[in-house]
Amino acid sequence: MDLDEYWAWIALGIAVAISVALVFAARWVLKHKLAKMWSIANFLVVRTRYSGYAAGAVVGANLGMPSVADVGWSTYGTLRHGMVILMIASLTALGISLAYAVTDTILARLSHTNGDADRKARRLQTQVRLLRRVVTSIIVVLAISAILFTFPQVQALGAGLLASAGIIGIVAGVAAQSTLGNLFAGLQLAFSDALRIGDVVVVEGEWGRVEELTLVNVTIKIWDERRLVVPVANFTTTSFENWTKSGTAITAKVMMPLDWEVPIAELREEAGRLITSSEHWDGRSWSCQVVDITENGEVMVRVVATAANTGDQWDIACQIREHLIGWLVEHYPQSLPRNRTEVVTVEDEEITRAAALSAAARRARRNGSGDREDTAEDA
């Protein structure tokens, strides 16, 4: 290695160090000076933690790259090709990071709105998250294609691939049918407003909240902290319950099988007193009615009360159930469900026995007359 080549590599290292130092300074200014007045600054610092330094180092390396006279044509060609690949990869990563930082700012503002009650904010959250995943996927594919086409062999292959694009498209379409179906299903869900992040849903008998919606599946956070992962296409081909589709208001229902002796008027008055004083009731409506009589001879009483959201709905339903059970046990224990049996007295039993003996005697007389007729015929 001669002196010129030695200094060329030193200049390359200095250029990379200066670029990385500039990136560090820019991140420090964003985090400590601009974060208080510019909300996107914090998101830029977080998102560009790695991509920013990588892009800075690659840009510095390109600016300080040795010339052909310093390192020779063979080394220069390899170095230049490597720098082109690194430039495409690093700038693509930096661009995606910046786009995510901008969308993170939007999502943060939307999340500070009125929570479940703001359906528009939750719909926008879902659409922004899904769109940036789609755009990111497209950008990554284009970047990989650009990197591959820096190789002459791939360029020659590309001409042949373009000539047979029709056949390849058909094969790819058949092979990726499920993937493409999920992709379009995710877009359909996001832009038809059928499902949003934060929606309360019932899927496959499980109650939970939509935690994540991607191009492949939907993650449901179930109430007991489990996660139910469902292919996104299932939501366009099968039915599901969405409790927050049009709003968060919902009605709590409590079914109570009771005995016929239950005092309906007193029970209704107590239920009304409890509901109207509950902090979980939204003040819209409530009722206490006998809605059915079961085959087991029980009176089915239904108590309903409206609530502002699913959390209050669950709480007020449990509150109604617990209070009315305790109230009935204390004041009207005879109203609790019980199995009834018919008790037969001694007199009734004697009458039943006499009736049975009378029926047996009649059957015997009929049988005796029949035997006599048979005997006469034989004679």
Side-chain angles (χ1 to χ4, degrees):
M1 179 183 296
D2 56 18
L3 186 60
D4 291 338
E5 185 176 355
Y6 178 78
W7 283 108
W9 290 113
I10 291 178
L12 176 63
I14 293 173
V16 171
I18 293 174
S19 299
V20 171
L22 290 175
V23 172
F24 177 82
R27 287 172 52 83
W28 186 89
V29 171
L30 286 171
K31 184 175 181 180
H32 295 91
K33 299 298 182 181
L34 299 179
K36 296 180 180 179
M37 62 184 70
W38 196 28
S39 60
I40 196 176
N42 282 324
F43 296 104
L44 288 173
V45 171
V46 172
R47 286 292 184 180
T48 60
R49 181 182 297 111
Y50 304 109
S51 60
Y53 286 115
V58 172
V59 171
N62 274 275
L63 293 175
M65 191 171 62
S67 62
V68 180
D70 294 330
V71 296
W73 176 254
S74 177
T75 303
Y76 177 80
T78 303
L79 186 62
R80 182 180 179 182
H81 189 200
M83 285 297 102
V84 170
I85 294 175
L86 290 176
M87 182 68 77
I88 294 173
S90 61
L91 292 183
T92 299
L94 180 61
I96 292 174
S97 299
L98 294 175
Y100 265 66
V102 174
T103 53
D104 283 344
T105 307
I106 299 173
L107 293 173
R109 291 177 180 175
L110 293 174
S111 64
H112 291 158
T113 55
N114 194 21
D116 290 348
D118 196 335
R119 296 185 296 111
K120 182 179 179 181
R122 291 190 291 109
R123 182 189 65 190
L124 291 176
Q125 279 184 302
T126 304
Q127 294 174 353
V128 169
R129 289 179 184 273
L130 197 60
L131 274 179
R132 75 179 182 181
R133 287 191 176 97
V134 174
V135 173
T136 299
S137 301
I138 295 173
I139 292 175
V140 169
V141 171
L142 293 177
I144 294 174
S145 302
I147 291 174
L148 292 176
F149 271 88
T150 60
F151 296 90
Q153 298 84 348
V154 176
Q155 292 179 359
L157 180 62
L161 292 177
L162 290 176
S164 58
I167 298 176
I168 293 176
I170 295 174
V171 174
V174 174
Q177 183 178 3
S178 176
T179 303
L180 293 176
N182 282 334
L183 172 62
F184 290 117
L187 294 174
Q188 179 182 346
L189 285 177
F191 288 92
S192 65
D193 204 24
L195 191 68
R196 300 171 295 261
I197 293 176
D199 274 348
V200 177
V201 296
V202 177
V203 181
E204 298 181 6
E206 296 285 359
W207 182 97
R209 189 179 295 271
V210 178
E211 185 177 49
E212 186 178 17
L213 197 160
T214 68
L215 299 177
V216 180
N217 50 53
V218 178
T219 302
I220 309 296
K221 182 180 180 181
I222 305 175
W223 64 272
D224 58 0
E225 304 298 330
R226 291 179 295 145
R227 264 61 173 184
L228 178 66
V229 181
V230 184
V232 69
N234 285 21
F235 289 89
T236 60
T237 57
T238 58
S239 59
F240 62 96
E241 295 182 30
N242 189 337
W243 289 15
T244 53
K245 175 69 171 65
S246 302
T248 60
I250 195 169
T251 300
K253 178 181 70 173
V254 176
M255 303 295 291
M256 302 182 65
L258 300 173
D259 191 78
W260 287 74
E261 296 187 12
V262 58
I264 300 301
E266 289 80 356
L267 179 64
R268 183 178 294 113
E269 181 180 355
E270 183 65 19
R273 187 192 63 78
L274 170 67
I275 294 171
T276 54
S277 62
S278 174
E279 68 276 13
H280 304 297
W281 184 54
D282 63 357
R284 288 188 295 137
S285 64
W286 68 272
S287 68
C288 177
Q289 298 171 313
V290 177
V291 296
D292 197 6
I293 298 176
T294 67
E295 295 180 355
N296 296 330
E298 296 173 333
V299 176
M300 189 63 66
V301 177
R302 185 185 68 181
V303 182
V304 298
T306 55
N309 51 60
T310 55
D312 287 341
Q313 179 242 13
W314 175 264
D315 289 335
I316 196 171
C318 294
Q319 191 177 35
I320 292 171
R321 193 178 295 110
E322 294 171 0
H323 179 82
L324 291 184
I325 289 175
W327 182 78
L328 287 173
V329 169
E330 181 179 357
H331 296 91
Y332 300 96
Q334 72 276 10
S335 301
L336 299 178
R338 49 183 171 171
N339 295 324
R340 294 177 177 272
T341 57
E342 183 178 358
V343 180
V344 179
T345 62
V346 176
E347 296 180 355
D348 294 335
E349 187 176 355
E350 292 178 352
I351 294 173
T352 303
R353 186 182 296 110
L357 292 174
S358 176
R362 287 195 298 271
R363 285 195 300 272
R365 285 196 297 273
R366 285 197 298 270
N367 292 336
S369 61
D371 292 339
R372 287 193 298 272
E373 291 176 358
D374 293 340
T375 304
E377 289 176 0
D378 293 338

